[in-house]
Amino acid sequence: MSAAPALAIAREQLVHVVQGEFAVADRPGTVFNTILGSCVATCLHDPVARIGGMNHFLVPGDAGTTSDSVKYGVNAMELLINALLQRGAARNRLEAKLFGGASVVQNLSDIGAKNGEFATKFLKSEGINCVGVSLGGNQARRVRYWPDSGRAAQLKLEAAESVFANERAKPAPTPKVDSGTVELF
């Protein structure tokens, strides 16, 4: 009886891209992960160079040179594109996918719609082909993106309003009464 060949199990390296960040990779097995509400994530991919990246911006516009400039759409887009070009991507081959831009809390300004509109216009003005869009609605999204292949997947999450409504409906916890002493400084 011969021993069964060892199975190689490919492990994915999960990279979290949070608000105001971007990431670029070309290594197979790398997966970018983010959660979006009104923010937008742009996923860019060069299918020839097999490299891609993701940004996660909070508001459209330009921050100038502030230290948190990636939270602004213009800066986040430029930084992502430049990082891809520096690693071997070609601008004319870039393909984009957009996610987010939801209206997650009623009665607040619709920054999500503004973010989505900005990202769409930016890609068009830069001549970057947008091959996938999931913008708007009222649900947050968890997005996973494989930068070497350009594959993306999303899971829509429970609407934030219903989460807040559930929290408001819960009675406030009764504080514990402690007969011990407390010393204040």
Side-chain angles (χ1 to χ4, degrees), residues 39 41 45 60-61 70 81 113 121 140 151-152 157 167 169 176 183-184:
C39 295
H45 176 247
V70 180
I81 291 168
K121 284 181 179 179
R151 182 177 142 225
L157 306 174
E167 288 300 314
K176 287 185 177 181
E183 184 176 334
L184 299 175

Side-chain angles (χ1 to χ4, degrees), residues 36-114:
L36 304 162
S38 60
C39 295
V40 166
T42 305
C43 301
L44 293 177
H45 176 247
D46 179 333
V48 176
R50 297 190 54 81
I51 187 170
M54 171 191 276
N55 66 22
H56 181 152
F57 66 87
L58 287 74
V59 292
D62 185 355
T65 59
T66 65
S67 62
D68 61 350
S69 63
V70 180
K71 77 178 191 178
Y72 295 91
V74 169
N75 300 33
M77 298 298 272
E78 291 293 340
L79 288 167
L80 178 57
I81 291 168
N82 289 336
L84 287 166
L85 297 178
Q86 288 174 355
R87 301 264 306 261
R91 183 183 280 271
N92 65 329
R93 294 190 306 243
L94 291 177
E95 298 175 341
K97 294 179 181 175
L98 296 174
F99 298 93
S103 177
V104 293
V105 180
Q106 288 181 332
N107 302 324
L108 290 181
S109 73
D110 198 0
I111 190 68
K114 292 175 184 172

Side-chain angles (χ1 to χ4, degrees), residues 8 15 20 30 32-33 60 67 80 92 102 104 123-124 129 155 161:
V15 176
T30 301
F32 296 144
N33 179 69
S67 62
L80 178 57
N92 65 329
V104 293
L123 293 172
K124 186 174 183 175
N129 187 26
L155 172 65
E161 271 300 305

Side-chain angles (χ1 to χ4, degrees), residues 104-106 138-139 157-170:
V104 293
V105 180
Q106 288 181 332
N138 65 352
Q139 290 181 284
L157 306 174
E158 184 176 355
E161 271 300 305
S162 64
V163 171
F164 295 139
N166 290 339
E167 288 300 314
R168 286 191 294 267
K170 292 179 184 175

